[in-house]
Amino acid sequence: MKKKTKIFSIILSFFLAFTTLSAQAIVENEKNYKEYSKVTKDEKIKDALEIMKGTLGSFSREAILGNNLTGRPIKIEFKDLSEMGEAYANFDALGWKKRGKLYIYINPKHQDAPEEALASLLSHEALHQDEFNSINEETYAWTLEGAVWTELCDKNPQISEISHPLVVRENIIKQLFIKGNYTDKYIKKSIISNPGYQNLPSRSPGFEDNL
């Protein structure tokens, strides 16, 4: 009986220790994620923002947290983009400005995308901070997206093999980025030839110089 009591005591001690560590981990995670409370309620998006830390997407992450032209956090959510207009129905994501506030809406089809792919997409969208757009701005945004995805793939090559529409997008941008010797050369050519960008001016505020 004493032996059984001792074993039970050991198991109980282990369980209590494990429970304490789990509780600490939960509290720490909540503490880390508090800074995203004004950005999003979605845990997947919060995970993507965490991944952006210490990467080439850090600038975009800071912009999302409030270091942008409005001085306010950018609101992010998964949203049916057709609600913003039928022309946007099949977009992967959309940057939007309304009443002085910035929003990033992500197509719901990407809710199960890898966090790394969402992080790359957000790195792009966070650069659109006003009502103006241009070839230069899109070139910079797409190039940053490709650079972030390339960096994350270097850390974890398996993510590029995941079967998902957003991963397909990121891999295409990455290929253009690498083909251009890690520059915007082929990305810009792709943007210029894209019918959706045909009416964009070459420059916009903050992106006046040729890239």
Side-chain angles (χ1 to χ4, degrees):
M1 181 63 72
K2 289 183 178 180
K3 186 176 181 180
K4 289 183 178 179
T5 301
K6 185 175 182 181
I7 292 173
F8 177 76
S9 178
I10 292 172
I11 293 174
L12 181 61
S13 296
F14 176 79
F15 175 76
L16 290 173
F18 177 78
T19 302
T20 300
L21 288 173
S22 297
Q24 289 175 344
I26 291 172
V27 170
E28 185 63 27
N29 188 58
E30 288 179 348
K31 180 181 178 182
N32 289 340
Y33 279 10
K34 278 183 179 178
E35 61 185 326
Y36 306 135
S37 62
K38 294 182 179 181
V39 173
T40 185
K41 295 179 180 179
D42 194 285
E43 293 300 317
K44 193 72 175 282
I45 294 173
K46 292 177 183 179
D47 289 338
L49 291 169
E50 275 293 292
I51 287 173
M52 293 165 72
K53 280 184 176 179
T55 70
L56 294 170
S58 293
F59 174 85
S60 294
R61 178 178 171 277
E62 290 302 314
I64 288 170
L65 291 176
N67 188 17
N68 58 63
L69 294 179
T70 70
R72 301 175 178 180
I74 300 175
K75 300 285 187 178
I76 307 174
E77 65 179 279
F78 291 102
K79 186 180 183 71
D80 181 354
L81 300 183
S82 66
E83 294 179 14
M84 313 307 293
E86 280 302 319
Y88 305 118
N90 295 317
F91 278 33
D92 291 307
L94 182 65
W96 202 263
K97 188 175 182 180
K98 183 179 180 181
R99 296 175 183 172
K101 295 181 180 180
L102 294 172
Y103 300 84
I104 295 175
Y105 299 127
I106 305 173
N107 195 310
K109 69 181 180 181
H110 297 320
Q111 283 181 307
D112 60 347
E115 288 87 350
E116 292 88 349
L118 289 170
S120 303
L121 183 65
L122 289 173
S123 295
H124 171 144
E125 294 299 333
L127 297 180
H128 299 308
Q129 299 176 17
D130 55 31
E131 300 87 346
F132 307 101
N133 198 6
S134 65
I135 295 296
N136 275 359
E137 184 169 335
E138 287 295 346
T139 299
Y140 190 95
W142 284 87
T143 302
L144 178 60
E145 181 175 350
V148 172
W149 178 246
T150 300
E151 180 182 12
L152 294 175
C153 285
D154 287 343
K155 294 179 180 178
N156 182 11
Q158 288 78 15
I159 59 175
S160 65
E161 300 173 6
I162 296 173
S163 178
H164 193 281
L166 190 55
V167 173
V168 172
R169 166 193 167 112
E170 299 307 331
N171 283 338
I172 291 173
I173 302 172
K174 176 186 174 185
Q175 289 170 4
L176 292 172
F177 182 56
I178 294 175
K179 182 181 178 181
N181 194 27
Y182 299 90
T183 70
D184 63 14
K185 180 179 179 180
Y186 288 102
I187 290 175
K188 187 166 189 176
K189 287 183 178 180
S190 178
I191 289 170
I192 291 173
S193 64
N194 189 320
Y197 296 140
Q198 290 299 303
N199 296 321
L200 286 183
S202 61
R203 299 171 177 81
S204 58
F207 299 89
E208 290 87 355
D209 298 329
N210 288 323
L211 301 177

